[in-house]
Amino acid sequence: AAAVQPHVCQNCNASSETFAFFCRSCGAVMDADYGIATHFDVLGLEPRYALDLDGVDKAYKDLQKQLHPDRHAQAGERDKAAVEAHAARLNEAVATLRSPLRRAGYWMELHGVRILEDDQRMQDAEMMMEVMEVSEQIEDASTQVEIDELVRHNNEKIAGVEASVAELFSREDWAAARPLVEKLQMLTRLGERMNEWTPS
């Protein structure tokens, strides 16, 4: 494998093997050269599927404050461009890690496992029946109260699948995890439909 290129500060020439938005030596804005930095690296989090979302949000808010354009209003064009790129990279990382589904797909991707691709069809007939039943309940709903109840049940199912996926990921049992991640995808889509519901 090729050697990992260190991240070098353009201000003080300090180098680091891991990426940070700001130089750990002088605090200058680092170039938007992320190398092999993962979403976990970007947020300064331990790489693991079972994440504490409060910890994700805290890391995100702390970095968001440091990258706020007002804090860099007097900076040169290079630094302003880097800060803008960093903010976009931070948003991409947090959007992925906040979502149980996107995080699961990303975790498998990091371990070289293909998942959630078009040529992979859902094999779970029971889950397909459940999706059809809930879809009908969404279509038949006439009040927000009914939708709220469906959302509550759906969120409970997502939490249960997420816990099972985390357990399988910890054992690197990708074959067993794949159908559960597909189930997570179906539940997430149902949740999106519930959130988009409006009374007819």
Side-chain angles (χ1 to χ4, degrees):
V4 176
Q5 292 295 315
H7 301 273
V8 180
C9 174
Q10 299 298 316
N11 186 56
C12 73
N13 285 327
S15 67
S16 171
E17 288 186 10
T18 56
F19 176 78
F21 290 123
F22 301 94
C23 174
R24 294 183 176 94
S25 295
C26 72
V29 178
M30 294 291 282
D31 283 344
D33 174 18
Y34 305 110
I36 59 168
T38 67
H39 292 331
F40 299 97
D41 296 333
V42 163
L43 282 152
L45 299 170
E46 192 70 30
R48 49 189 298 223
Y49 176 70
L51 282 178
D52 168 21
L53 290 187
D54 288 341
V56 173
D57 283 342
K58 183 181 184 308
Y60 172 66
K61 284 171 184 166
D62 288 347
L63 287 165
Q64 198 181 32
K65 278 182 201 163
Q66 293 174 45
L67 292 168
H68 196 282
D70 291 351
R71 295 188 76 157
H72 304 277
Q74 305 304 315
E77 290 307 310
R78 188 188 71 83
D79 280 2
K80 282 182 180 173
V83 164
E84 192 175 322
H86 291 342
R89 181 71 179 82
L90 177 64
N91 287 336
E92 178 195 356
V94 79
T96 300
L97 297 188
R98 271 181 182 156
S99 160
L101 173 64
R102 289 181 62 181
R103 191 185 337 128
Y106 182 66
W107 188 253
M108 292 184 85
E109 189 185 304
L110 286 179
H111 289 83
V113 184
R114 288 172 68 236
I115 188 70
L116 303 178
E117 296 187 15
D118 289 341
D119 61 345
Q120 294 172 354
R121 293 282 172 259
M122 184 81 182
Q123 302 295 320
D124 188 340
E126 189 179 329
M127 182 63 201
M128 292 302 290
M129 286 296 295
E130 186 180 325
V131 168
M132 289 168 68
E133 283 173 20
V134 176
S135 295
E136 284 176 16
Q137 289 173 332
I138 295 170
E139 285 170 20
D140 293 345
S142 56
T143 66
Q144 187 62 49
V145 172
E146 289 171 273
I147 290 293
D148 289 347
E149 187 63 12
L150 289 173
V151 168
R152 189 178 66 78
H153 279 299
N154 200 58
N155 286 344
E156 285 174 1
K157 287 177 194 167
I158 287 175
V161 174
E162 188 182 355
S164 299
V165 166
E167 171 62 26
L168 292 168
F169 280 176
S170 70
R171 301 202 302 264
E172 300 199 358
D173 189 346
W174 310 118
R178 188 189 298 278
L180 284 181
V181 175
E182 290 169 354
K183 185 172 185 176
L184 199 53
Q185 183 179 45
M186 293 292 180
L187 292 170
T188 301
R189 284 179 180 165
L190 285 172
E192 288 167 357
R193 286 190 56 197
M194 291 169 195
N195 290 331
E196 289 164 1
W197 181 88
T198 52
S200 52

